[in-house]
Amino acid sequence: MAKYLIVGGVAAGMSAAARLRRLDETAEIIVFERGEYVSYANCGLPYYIGDEIKERERLIVQTPEAFKELMGVEVRTGNEVLALRPEAKSIKVKDLLTGREYDEAYDKLLLAPGGSPVKPTLPGSDHPAIHTLWTIPDTDKIRAMVDEGKVKTALVVGAGFIGLEMAENLHARGIKVTVVEMANQAMNVVDYEIAAMVHREVAIHGVDLQLEDGVSEFTPGANGGVIARLTSGKSVEADLVLLSIGVKPNTAFIADSGIELGKRGHILVDDSLRTNQQDIFAAGDAIEVMHPLTQKKTAIPLAGPANKQGRIAADNMHGAMPHTYKGTMGTAIAKVFDLTIGMTGASEKLCLAHEIPFDSVIIHPNDFAGYYPGAMKMCLKLLFSPDTRRVLGAQGTGYSGVDKRIDVIATAIKGNMTVDDLTEIEHAYAPPYSSAKDPVNMAGFAAQNILDGLVKTVKWTDIDSADPSEVFLLDVRTPAECATGMMPGAVNVPLANLRQRLDEIPRDKKIILYCRVGLLSYPASRVLTANGFENAFNLSGGYETWHVATTRHKASETATVQQTEQKVIPMMQTTSEAPTKIVEVNACGLQCPGPVMRLKKEMDVLLPGEALSITASDPGFYSDAPAWARSTGNLVREISVQKGIVKAVIEKAGQLPQAAPAAAGNDKTIIVFSGNLDKVIAAFIIANGALSMGRKVTLFFTFWGLNALRKPGKVKGLRKNIIEKAFGWMMPHGSRKLPLSNMSMGGMGGKMIRGIMQHHNVPALEDMMAMAIEGGANLVACQMSMDLMGIRKEELIDGVQIGGVAAYLEASEHSDNNLFI
Ligand code: FAD
């Protein structure tokens, strides 16, 4: 009778134990597990803390007793394997309850000890409020703190899978969460533009993600909490800290066994999962695997591979039906709030690091037929070999359907398929499930077009690095679409007019064409190519990818959406009677002021008592829509956000009891359009005067007026493109650099005025601005002007809000004095 010993009783270990039993009914099988639990669902732990999984028992898939009863496998929990003696074919074990140490002999041994979270040796990191999450006891501790109501604020260190899942689940328990990540992006395994969508998603939900920053030390905070000092000099105070900065293999106990380990301590195995020691196998997070695309050994700690390796190791330990393990390519998926992010195979980063020749394409198809209700856009990035046309990898984000496409492409990679094969994959199609051309087919078509020379592409990063004197940015959308935002310096020639307006396109420059997602710009590039333009390039992923990748997503700017999640619907006006008719309009894809314009247009044709149900994917619409409704005397029936889509139901007033029209008050609104020192001073003199009379004041800064709000120095790390940078250089850096409207005399005039003001004891402009902010003035920076001028929130002084035109208009409804300066 064969005797199999297994070290580690979770994914790989228990999978192997079950398979061994199925292969050999008579064998003696013993699993050693140092912890209290076996076969638990560690992937479900964050969701139990978030109360998404409500019953703790559901995390425990199997108990030692049940396993013994069903499978005839002995599971010794609380038994730690201390050492191996390969020469004696035995292991040394310690019963952690009694302290007894004993030896156990084996015929075949499987090492499946997994890994443990890395704990940094930072000063103060032993504070009791600092946790890691890997086991059931870890989970119990964190959940107890949350259940007791002790945790109001949490800091998650590390924005990988577990870190972000925990951020979501702590947020779900009403906790204010900050995430600190050393890299310039979350989820380091994907490429930046894909991670940028995750940055946007966490910001929308009010989680403060601080990139390119790390913790340098912890000190005790108030009420049992911790203060984390960051390398940037900032500090974050939190009632609970979760460290999720990586995993290391649990292999210290085999260090002297003669088993070969890799550089980072992982067990080295051959393709039968055999170690270099006779009859000792290994599987799971503790081993190095072969990456099939790089053909190099690496560590990829994932549950799927661990389980499958356990099964294969068992086959090979038994010996009757041996199998080889062909490697792990890192197919993974995660839910970050409403967003799914998935990946398989090689990323661009991996290709660059391993010098694998690659090309890529980004598409934004619908998850199913656009005409069937509920279709959502996803983003798919496909990597492929320009030489062999083989599919190398894919990454995807979206609110539905990403998992299916990633799995199909993972299968294609496993089968060594080419992009041509992707175009022919025959998928199951009906409108609620897919389109006649599935996103996977579409990715194949796009890649095929590149490889067949039908189109040349550039990436969003090429826009950043392009020399504006050598590049012509051509936006081929309609003017209405362009009103939602264009790249700085781009020229609009809609596709429909392109053939007639070819003489407006320079022939001596590189032409980069773009539209929203690349669908119009591809045929437009064909038009140019057919007309002899040799230098026409299509922007992969279009404006959408460029925009999300070049925007710095900040929770503070999307706080209203976080409130919606918490079902706080401010200032909602209701009536008891239902609308006589509800017209549904989809304004998704339009950005400020697009949805507001669409809202107005549709409301204009409704009769009193009828309502408009409008959806928009612009987060600012959450505050703009109610503001617009209030200022026009209409009724807000509903405002909510789900899966990134803001929905407003607004009823035309008239037939139903009218909401009292906003009474004109004595507030003051000032539009600061000018960037001249004297005019900005005038604006603040008036503002402070009004404040001193007890009036509410709103200053709306648009176009050149925004320069008054800029911080004096250059703000680093904003990832601006060359045109935005050029704009930034040319415009004054803040109030101190503003010129006079007359007699500027190369800046001398401004200095003279400041001197005269000082002489007459008139506060400097900067002091006036500070006084106004302190006095409660509402300084609003126009979002659309900021976008056009390439100005970012980080460049503005503290105390400024970012707002749309509707926010300003609402303030002006309560004002008896509206100045344009
Ligand atoms: P483990 O599951 O870690 O099991 C190893 C066991 O060995 C441990 O119980 C340990 O106590 C025991 N052990 C170690 N040393 C000894 C010793 N000397 N003596 C006795 N016993 C010992 N992966 C995914 O693919 N998808 C996910 O969504 C996902 N989510 C996750 C969420 C969380 C919170 C965590 C913690 C992990 C997640 N993972 C996920 C990773 C996945 O759980 C692991 O890849 C998988 O569990 C690895 O299995 P394993 O058997 O190699 O190791």
Side-chain angles (χ1 to χ4, degrees), residues 8 10-12 32-34 42-43 81 112-114 134 162 284-285 301-303 306:
V10 189
F32 298 86
E33 169 55 56
R34 66 183 176 189
N42 32 18
C43 308
V81 176
W134 202 262
I162 295 175
D285 284 2
L302 286 171

Side-chain angles (χ1 to χ4, degrees), residues 479-485 516 585-602 612 614-618 620-621 624 628 784 787 804-806:
E481 281 180 286
C482 290
T484 66
R516 180 95 206 154
V585 165
N586 187 345
C588 292
L590 300 180
Q591 289 176 327
C592 179
V596 174
M597 285 159 62
R598 185 75 196 271
L599 169 64
K600 182 186 176 306
K601 187 173 155 226
E602 299 290 340
L612 179 73
I614 179 166
T615 47
S617 49
D618 173 7
F621 195 60
D624 278 358
W628 181 90
M784 204 189 80
D787 287 346
V805 72

Side-chain angles (χ1 to χ4, degrees), residues 769-791:
M769 290 169 75
M771 277 161 57
I773 294 171
E774 214 167 286
N778 198 11
L779 272 58
V780 182
C782 170
Q783 174 75 70
M784 204 189 80
S785 307
M786 286 175 67
D787 287 346
L788 292 179
M789 300 169 81
I791 297 176

Side-chain angles (χ1 to χ4, degrees), residues 7-14 32-35 37-38 40-47 79-82 112-116 133-135 161-162 165-166 250-251 253 283-286 300-307 309 331-334:
V7 186
V10 189
M14 292 305 265
F32 298 86
E33 169 55 56
R34 66 183 176 189
Y37 302 91
V38 287
Y40 60 89
N42 32 18
C43 308
L45 303 180
Y47 300 97
N79 276 253
E80 181 167 9
V81 176
L82 299 179
S116 296
L133 177 68
W134 202 262
T135 61
F161 285 74
I162 295 175
E165 284 177 358
M166 278 303 291
N250 292 326
T251 50
F253 72 104
D285 284 2
I300 302 182
L302 286 171
N307 273 279
Q309 289 158 16
T331 306
I333 196 156

